[in-house]
Every structure is written in C-alpha cells, then in structure tokens.
Amino acid sequence: MSAFYEETVLSVKHYTDTLFSFRITRPQAFRFRAGEFVMIGLEGEKKPLMRAYSIASPTWDEELEFYSIKVADGALTSRLQHIKEGDKILLGKKPVGTLVTDALTPGKRLFFFSTGTGFAPFASLIREPDVYERFDEVIVTHTCRTLAELTYSRDLVESVLNDELVGEMANGKLRYVSSVTREDGPLMGRITDLIENGKLFEVLGESSLDPTSDRVMICGSSAMLADTRAIVEKFGFKEGSNAAPADYVYEKAFVGDGI
Ligand SMILES: Cc1cc2nc3c(=O)[nH]c(=O)nc-3n(C[C@H](O)[C@H](O)[C@H](O)COP(=O)(O)OP(=O)(O)OC[C@H]3O[C@@H](n4cnc5c(N)ncnc54)[C@H](O)[C@@H]3O)c2cc1C
C-alpha cells in the first residue's frame, strides 16, 4: 500500500509572485485536527518530493486547502507553483502538529500570532466552530513585508465573517489585526514590537496579554518564534502540549530563516 494518497487539484489562486493557495480533493478516510500539518508533494524522478504543509481548511470542509510560498529555486515549490486544475498531488496519511486547541487549557481570549505562510494553520482554526465554543474572543494577527502579502488572510477573515456555517459564531468574536514591515500601511511593525510597545492592544482597545485569561498560538519563522516565545514567557505563559495542555503552543512555518 502506498504511503501517500494521490489527490486531484481542484483550484489554484495566485496572490503575489511568491504566494498562492490551492484546493485538492480530500480522501474520505483523511481525518485531522484543525491546526495540524501533513506532508504533501509531487512525484519525483526517483522518489516522491514531499514537504510539510499546514492544512489551511477546516475539518468540516470536503476539500483540503493549502497556502504556499513560491521559492524560485525550491525543490518542491519551483514546480508546485505551476500546478493547475486536474493535476495530481501526493498527500501524506498522517497529519500531526502542536497548534491544536487540545494542547491549551481553557481561557477567554485566544491569540493567533503569525507571519508569512505561518497564517495557514490559523486559516483552518478560524473556520472551526469548536474554537468559538471554547473562547469568547479569537484574535488573529498576520504580519508580512507588504500589503499584497496580506491578501489571503484579509480575504479569508472577511469570508469567515460572511460564512453560513461559522459566520454567526465568529461575528463579535473574531478580530483580525494585520501589519507590514517593509512598506507603509495602516499598521506597521513586527508583531513582537506591537506586543511590547502595546500598539496591538491599543488597536484592539483591550488589555495586554494575561496568562490567567489568554491562550496563545504562534506560527512563523525561527526568529519570529524565538522572539515571540520569549515575550509571552516574560508575561508568564507556560508552553502546552497534547499530553500536558497549558497556556501557549508554537510551530515553525518552515525550516530555515525568513521574514
Ligand atoms: C511544520 C511545517 C509546516 C509548514 N507549512 C507550510 C505551509 O503551510 N505553507 C508553506 O508554503 N510552507 C510550509 N512549510 C514549509 C514547506 O515545508 C517547504 O519548505 C516549502 O514548501 C518550500 O519547499 P521547497 O522544496 O520549494 O524549498 P525548501 O528547500 O524547503 O526551502 C528553500 C528555502 O525557502 C525557505 N522557505 C521554505 N518555506 C518557506 C515559507 N513557507 N516561507 C518563507 N520561506 C520559506 C527555506 O527556509 C529555505 O531557505 C512548512 C514547514 C514546516 C516544518
């Protein structure tokens, strides 16, 4: 039996010369928890070329969605960026990951801090009814270099608020704060700075981070993770896991350096 499912590309959407999303068929037996990642890829000359990808669609969706970088000389994405409807994609059978609500103890506000394609797991979580049942407020932040790189998250949040299934639950609970680091925009700066200088909370009109009521998930580059983890730990947040749920969890959006 093959280690991978072979699925079909249903649609592809390009946002910038470095970002795109695509949807594929979902095998009936494929189950995952919102926030998890799975190996996906393409047939290679000798063996399949697979990479880790966060599942961007919610668990109730009949299709699977992914949000991807295009690395010009990247082994996978130099090819993946050219996929079109009807093409075949290999899908791993075992989704895993730490960005799951099971790894957090109950709280009132849930913060999702993301940079770049690190928004992908939160694209799944903000469409999950269970998240709105567990928390009074869901605050998702997305930081990119340019405004164009925020298109996917901005459009998605808008569609969630208008969605038949989750729109009613998300309205009044889901807040979206985006910022850019390399061009002028309504809000500028790295998420770490916006937390530390209080601007994030000014924009929200809310109090700063508090481990007694807040839970946090973080997804971005290695540098972003290190800096953001250091900040939340300074606030007193303790790292959680499936085995020992606590206040915050994190996951690398990719291996290597970046935004
Ligand atoms: C847990 C996990 C989840 C991931 N989820 C996603 C996802 O949802 N979407 C996604 O596009 N990628 C994701 N990645 C990264 C993905 O696995 C690949 O690295 C990416 O698809 C590029 O593959 P590649 O073979 O073209 O280039 P690689 O050889 O893998 O990487 C080439 C270079 O590009 C950089 N790079 C790779 N991925 C990114 C990225 N996403 N953003 C910025 N720089 C990057 C690397 O640091 C490296 O320097 C994830 C990685 C991990 C570990």
Side-chain angles (χ1 to χ4, degrees):
M1 201 173 68
S2 163
F4 307 112
Y5 294 110
E6 193 186 64
E7 298 304 310
T8 306
V9 176
L10 298 170
S11 59
V12 185
K13 201 166 171 187
H14 292 271
Y15 302 95
T16 67
D17 56 0
T18 59
L19 292 167
F20 71 115
S21 68
F22 56 97
R23 292 177 72 85
I24 65 172
T25 50
R26 175 178 176 174
Q28 271 206 335
F30 186 82
R31 296 273 173 273
F32 65 99
R33 291 183 296 172
E36 286 186 323
F37 68 88
V38 66
M39 303 304 288
I40 64 167
L42 298 169
E43 285 293 359
E45 269 175 29
K46 291 201 181 107
K47 59 181 175 106
L49 180 54
M50 308 297 291
R51 291 285 185 268
Y53 267 79
S54 296
I55 302 166
S57 44
T59 57
W60 49 263
D61 200 326
E62 285 172 12
E63 301 168 4
L64 294 173
E65 181 175 314
F66 297 95
Y67 180 50
S68 180
I69 193 82
K70 304 175 195 174
V71 183
D73 56 357
L76 179 67
T77 58
S78 58
R79 290 175 56 202
L80 192 71
Q81 63 181 289
H82 300 296
I83 53 166
K84 46 188 192 335
E85 198 184 320
D87 286 352
K88 296 294 176 203
I89 291 277
L90 299 174
L91 171 73
K93 293 192 170 169
K94 202 174 167 354
V96 288
T98 55
L99 297 176
V100 291
T101 50
D102 291 343
L104 297 175
T105 49
K108 291 197 167 66
R109 294 191 302 187
L110 177 58
F111 283 88
F112 297 140
F113 295 129
S114 69
T115 55
T117 59
F119 177 76
F122 305 137
S124 174
L125 282 154
I126 63 169
R127 288 186 261 187
E128 207 59 51
D130 172 61
V131 166
Y132 300 101
E133 278 161 16
R134 289 190 196 218
F135 293 91
D136 297 341
E137 247 187 294
V138 178
I139 298 156
V140 58
T141 80
H142 192 202
T143 301
C144 290
R145 294 169 308 178
T146 66
L147 291 167
E149 290 172 350
L150 294 168
T151 309
Y152 176 73
S153 63
R154 193 194 54 224
D155 291 357
L156 184 73
V157 169
E158 199 181 304
S159 77
V160 168
L161 293 171
N162 292 315
D163 186 82
E164 259 179 49
L165 180 72
V166 281
E168 209 171 302
M169 301 179 89
N171 263 293
K173 285 196 171 191
L174 177 61
R175 314 271 313 266
Y176 169 68
V177 180
S178 61
S179 70
V180 285
T181 55
R182 303 244 181 112
E183 71 176 18
D184 287 350
L187 184 62
M188 292 161 64
R190 299 168 70 213
I191 188 59
T192 41
D193 293 335
L194 300 175
I195 298 171
E196 284 201 306
N197 64 25
K199 268 213 182 124
L200 172 64
F201 306 99
E202 246 171 62
V203 170
L204 290 166
E206 297 202 18
S207 56
S208 189
L209 288 178
D210 176 357
T212 63
S213 57
D214 299 337
R215 298 294 170 260
V216 172
M217 292 194 187
I218 313 165
C219 191
S221 66
S222 307
M224 178 272 195
L225 290 180
D227 294 349
T228 315
R229 287 183 62 200
I231 291 172
V232 299
E233 292 200 359
K234 217 164 62 186
F235 275 95
F237 286 75
K238 300 270 178 288
E239 187 186 341
S241 68
N242 277 299
D247 311 324
Y248 88 94
V249 282
Y250 70 96
E251 192 127 67
K252 261 197 196 116
F254 55 89
V255 176
D257 296 320
I259 302 163

